[in-house]
Amino acid sequence: MNILEIIEKKRDNQELSKEEIEYFIKGYTSGEIADYQVSALIMAIYLNGMTKQETTDLTIAMAHSGEMLDLSVLNEVIVDKHSTGGVGDKVSLILLPLVASLGIPVAKMSGRGLGFTGGTVDKLESIPGYITGIDIPEFIKNVEKIGISMISQTLNLAPADKKIYSLRDSISCVESIPLIASSIMSKKIASGAQKIVLDVTCGSGAFMTTKENAEELAREMIEIGKLANKETVCVLTNMDEPLGYAIGNSLEVIEAINFLKGDMLEDVKEVVLELGAYMIKLAGKGNDIEDNKAQLLENIQNRKGYDKLIQLVENQGGDSSYTKDTDKFPKANYIEKVYSNQEGYIKSMDAKEIGKIVCDLGAGRIRKEDSIDNEVGIVLHKKVSEKVEKQEEVATIYANSKEKLEEAKKRLQEIIQIDENAVSKPKMVLEIIQ
Ligand code: URA
């Protein structure tokens, strides 16, 4: 067996065997197979797809490419949450401390930004001092001590996914059902959670732009979950416009903190409560979804969720004076408003295009080795369906270069579409698949 034969086979749209998939995953993880060869194979998978069997084999091979975490030492049902990616998606920053504040342990490994979407690890690292790269024994110790730990995917957990994930990002091969399903489920299988709640985003700012594709991805992941004996629930959510108002690392952290202090944006609230209610259900702490939502709301009102976030930040080396006083977060050098050029109702704000603008401002990576700028981004002042007057502020841009600011202003102005007729408010939770 050799990698050229495997590339050739997939290029010619033939099914790969379990042995061939294991061979390429082992070889790539150990460094024997080069990036450029795997790039070619990934592109062939992207173009030709994979059968269900191939996707399952790829998932299992990636999950076993490194350490398999055993969370049974925690003696509790561990429910994991993962999103298929979005723009302005700060749900984990809000939801996970909130769920932990209800006494449900959270052991979460998050990813970095991918393509035009943001990543929780990049957002957490915008809190000065917060360490995401801790080892497994400390990760488990943290969960035992305060009931929550949020870290980055360690080098030895599904390392094949880690390499393939950033390779896909750098060769425009992210939006593929078998590649996304295997990437997410391999991490979930390796990270030891017994149950999984997945936020399957759908719309222009998601990797799945249609509901049909999002449903297919959801079903594929549920199927893999069954085979791995991990109960999986998928919540399909709307990602046509950015989630919440803020897009950009520290700007989103500030929005998440304000949410936990009680300033709940409607669209974020809908998504957080639905996902949280299913996490509580899978943890065996409440079967009634509406009651579970009420429990989550109560821990926002009594600030227990916020207190848990502060505890998490402090426990992982972060400076909680920033989370207590968000004015302390460093500000971008150029902060300018964008105004509407007509009166009417916001018809659309393409999340993908906004994600790209924010990425180009410096909040995301073009190449995998790029560093990111935590201060830059966009804060919207209006959402789809809201009324605007002519020359009313619709967004604020945070930039660290004059040229990038001007470019972003121009692009954003074109993206925000206004209609003279009333526009209905989009529904956020589209479907639950289990
Ligand atoms: N999130 C992941 O973990 N992997 C993907 O491929 C896409 C989103």
Side-chain angles (χ1 to χ4, degrees):
M1 200 183 301
N2 72 56
I3 187 66
L4 289 183
E5 285 165 12
I6 297 175
I7 299 171
E8 225 171 87
K9 216 169 153 186
K10 199 71 227 173
R11 181 200 64 192
D12 296 342
N13 204 8
Q14 292 171 42
E15 186 171 8
L16 299 179
S17 68
K18 182 166 178 269
E19 290 70 34
E20 284 165 333
I21 289 173
E22 282 172 355
Y23 173 88
F24 118 71
I25 290 297
K26 268 205 187 97
Y28 189 44
T29 311
S30 66
E32 279 156 43
I33 300 176
D35 271 346
Y36 58 86
Q37 290 173 314
V38 177
S39 300
L41 180 57
I42 292 292
M43 182 60 86
I45 293 174
Y46 181 91
L47 295 173
N48 290 327
M50 277 187 140
T51 61
K52 286 212 172 359
Q53 189 57 52
E54 283 178 302
T55 308
T56 305
D57 292 340
L58 178 61
T59 309
I60 304 297
M62 291 205 294
H64 286 87
S65 62
E67 221 174 303
M68 299 287 284
L69 200 52
D70 181 9
L71 294 178
S72 63
V73 289
L74 292 167
N75 276 327
E76 301 231 33
V77 176
I78 301 296
V79 183
D80 209 344
K81 175 260 167 196
H82 200 93
S83 158
T84 57
V87 177
D89 182 355
K90 68 275 300 168
V91 170
S92 289
L93 299 173
I94 299 167
L95 175 62
L96 299 180
L98 191 54
V99 166
S101 75
L102 288 166
I104 297 169
V106 171
K108 170 72 177 152
M109 283 190 200
S110 294
R112 295 191 181 276
L114 187 62
F116 55 87
T117 67
T120 302
V121 168
D122 295 330
K123 292 169 202 180
L124 282 170
E125 286 178 355
S126 70
I127 302 169
Y130 190 101
I131 302 165
T132 58
I134 59 177
D135 63 18
I136 303 292
E138 200 181 339
F139 176 56
I140 292 179
K141 219 168 65 201
N142 285 346
V143 182
E144 282 171 331
K145 186 174 152 203
I146 64 160
I148 182 167
S149 191
M150 290 175 72
I151 65 170
S152 58
Q153 187 182 350
T154 61
L155 253 189
N156 45 2
L157 193 122
D161 168 64
K162 195 172 168 120
K163 282 184 89 173
I164 293 174
Y165 189 95
S166 50
L167 189 68
R168 281 166 56 207
D169 192 23
S170 61
I171 59 167
S172 279
C173 279
V174 174
E175 298 95 335
S176 144
I177 291 178
L179 293 175
I180 296 177
S182 57
S183 164
I184 292 178
M185 294 309 284
S186 65
K187 284 191 285 264
K188 300 298 103 181
I189 292 169
S191 65
Q194 289 99 329
K195 313 222 174 186
I196 306 161
V197 175
L198 296 173
D199 181 0
V200 181
T201 52
C202 168
S204 97
F207 297 130
M208 297 295 109
T209 50
T210 66
K211 188 152 176 262
E212 290 69 36
N213 282 347
E215 283 169 344
E216 192 184 331
L217 174 63
R219 281 195 214 99
E220 194 117 336
M221 292 192 288
I222 288 172
E223 202 56 40
I224 298 170
K226 272 197 194 120
L227 291 172
N229 203 19
K230 292 181 191 293
E231 188 182 352
T232 304
V233 173
C234 292
V235 179
L236 264 60
T237 62
N238 186 332
M239 191 48 79
D240 274 327
E241 63 177 325
L243 189 67
Y245 287 127
I247 312 105
N249 297 300
S250 63
L251 297 170
E252 289 187 45
V253 169
I254 294 169
E255 190 167 271
I257 293 165
N258 289 337
F259 188 103
L260 284 171
K261 282 182 177 168
D263 183 6
M264 290 180 270
L265 305 176
E266 270 312 308
D267 58 341
V268 183
K269 181 175 163 189
E270 210 186 311
V271 174
V272 163
L273 294 185
E274 199 73 36
L275 290 163
Y278 279 94
M279 285 185 79
I280 298 172
K281 184 171 181 209
L282 291 195
K285 304 281 166 135
N287 263 330
D288 187 299
I289 293 300
E290 292 313 310
D291 282 354
N292 295 352
K293 288 182 186 172
Q295 284 190 58
L296 293 161
L297 277 175
E298 194 183 326
N299 273 21
I300 289 176
Q301 270 129 23
N302 61 22
R303 295 254 180 141
K304 285 191 180 164
Y306 170 74
D307 292 342
K308 190 52 84 178
L309 174 74
I310 301 286
Q311 206 183 6
L312 165 71
V313 169
E314 289 174 351
N315 197 46
Q316 288 195 214
D319 183 345
S320 63
S321 67
Y322 285 77
T323 36
K324 288 174 186 155
D325 173 12
T326 53
D327 284 342
K328 278 189 77 175
F329 278 97
K331 299 273 176 308
N333 294 329
Y334 302 94
I335 302 177
E336 279 196 25
K337 303 223 181 305
V338 172
Y339 299 92
S340 70
N341 44 20
Q342 70 174 87
E343 184 191 331
Y345 298 86
I346 305 279
K347 186 174 159 207
S348 74
M349 292 197 281
D350 190 302
K352 181 173 184 173
E353 291 307 317
I354 294 181
K356 283 188 192 163
I357 298 176
V358 171
C359 189
D360 292 342
L361 281 168
R365 295 177 188 80
I366 307 292
R367 288 166 310 164
K368 62 181 180 183
E369 58 278 12
D370 288 348
S371 58
I372 58 165
D373 187 340
N374 289 324
E375 298 159 8
V376 299
I378 293 173
V379 175
L380 303 169
H381 303 307
K382 297 280 177 186
K383 303 280 306 194
V384 168
S385 82
E386 284 181 38
K387 181 144 186 22
V388 275
E389 302 303 327
K390 189 167 180 183
Q391 288 308 311
E392 193 179 347
E393 292 165 9
V394 282
T396 302
I397 299 182
Y398 295 74
N400 273 327
S401 117
K402 190 81 183 142
E403 297 78 62
K404 287 189 177 176
L405 170 75
E406 293 308 327
E407 173 71 17
K409 266 167 76 176
K410 203 163 125 260
R411 286 166 71 188
L412 190 59
Q413 192 78 254
E414 283 164 13
I415 284 163
I416 300 180
Q417 302 280 317
I418 298 171
D419 199 293
E420 57 193 29
N421 301 312
V423 174
S424 54
K425 204 169 165 195
K427 200 169 156 225
M428 293 309 296
V429 175
L430 307 174
E431 195 179 345
I432 312 290
I433 304 185
Q434 44 193 324

